[in-house]
């Protein structure tokens, strides 16, 4: 989508099978492009850039990363709209119970299946079109529906990027 309603573009962008239905736009069902192409690196294969950097959000899992408080200037007092969104997202997530065995409900199975699919596709794309550098974010850094952790995940991305050597290699493009 190159023009039109921002809401339509956003709605199509978060249409992830098993979580949100596809978005019908001009008679076509649209879903998040990351479903089939989580590391969209192929378009860079023939460009004339000096270095290609890929961000893989399906990196190897480490120990689960717990949410932390992130202070941002843009975060102000909660609005009725924000509270409504948070309640909606909260209903989609299973309750967290410490000390209990894992409950493999439909949500957990769907999440695991989606994560596995995304990881396989990402590995294939990175092998087919190897970038000069890859920034890896562990796939368990944030849950699929943890939209409230966006600022924390952006900070993690900046931290990972700062740890990379972005100088071109001898065989760089």
């Amino acid at each position: 989508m190159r023009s039109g309603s921002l809401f339509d573009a956003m709605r199509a962008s978060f249409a992830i099978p098993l979580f949100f239905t596809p978005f019908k736009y001009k008679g076509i069902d649209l879903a998040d492009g990351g479903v089939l192409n989580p590391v969209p690196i192929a378009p860079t294969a023939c460009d004339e850039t000096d270095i290609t950097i890929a961000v893989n959000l399906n990196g190897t899992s480490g120990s689960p990363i717990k949410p932390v408080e992130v202070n941002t200037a843009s975060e102000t007092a909660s609005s009725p709209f924000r509270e409504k969104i948070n309640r909606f997202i909260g209903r989609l997530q299973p309750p967290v119970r410490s000390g209990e065995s894992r409950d493999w409900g439909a949500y957990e199975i769907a999440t695991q299946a989606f994560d596995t699919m995304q990881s396989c596709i990402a590995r294939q794309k990175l092998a087919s079109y190897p970038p000069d550098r890859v920034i890896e974010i562990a796939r368990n850094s944030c849950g699929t529906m943890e939209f409230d952790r966006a600022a924390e995940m952006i900070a993690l991305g900046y931290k990972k990027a700062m740890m990379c050597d972005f100088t071109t290699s001898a065989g760089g493009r």
Side-chain angles (χ1 to χ4, degrees), residues 2 19-22 25 30 43 45 50 58 67 73 91 98 102 108-109 112 115 129 131-132 147-148 163 169 171:
R2 298 189 191 285
F19 300 105
F20 297 102
T21 59
Y25 179 77
L30 300 178
D50 293 329
N58 295 287
R91 287 193 309 264
S98 61
R102 188 167 188 158
E108 289 81 11
I109 292 169
Q112 288 293 322
D115 287 348
Y129 305 97
D132 297 303
F147 302 114
D148 58 312
M163 295 168 42
S169 59

Side-chain angles (χ1 to χ4, degrees), residues 2 4 6 10 15 23 33 55 66 75 87 92 96 105 107 121 123-124 140 145 153 155 168 170:
R2 298 189 191 285
L6 176 60
M10 290 170 54
F23 179 70
V55 178
K66 295 182 175 31
E75 298 239 3
R87 280 194 308 273
L92 297 173
V96 176
Y107 174 81
I121 295 171
R123 281 193 308 274
Q124 178 191 30
N140 67 338
M145 299 294 175
M153 294 300 102
T168 57

Side-chain angles (χ1 to χ4, degrees), residues 103-123:
D103 176 25
W104 286 95
Y107 174 81
E108 289 81 11
I109 292 169
T111 299
Q112 288 293 322
F114 188 76
D115 287 348
T116 301
M117 177 188 73
Q118 292 287 279
S119 295
C120 290
I121 295 171
R123 281 193 308 274

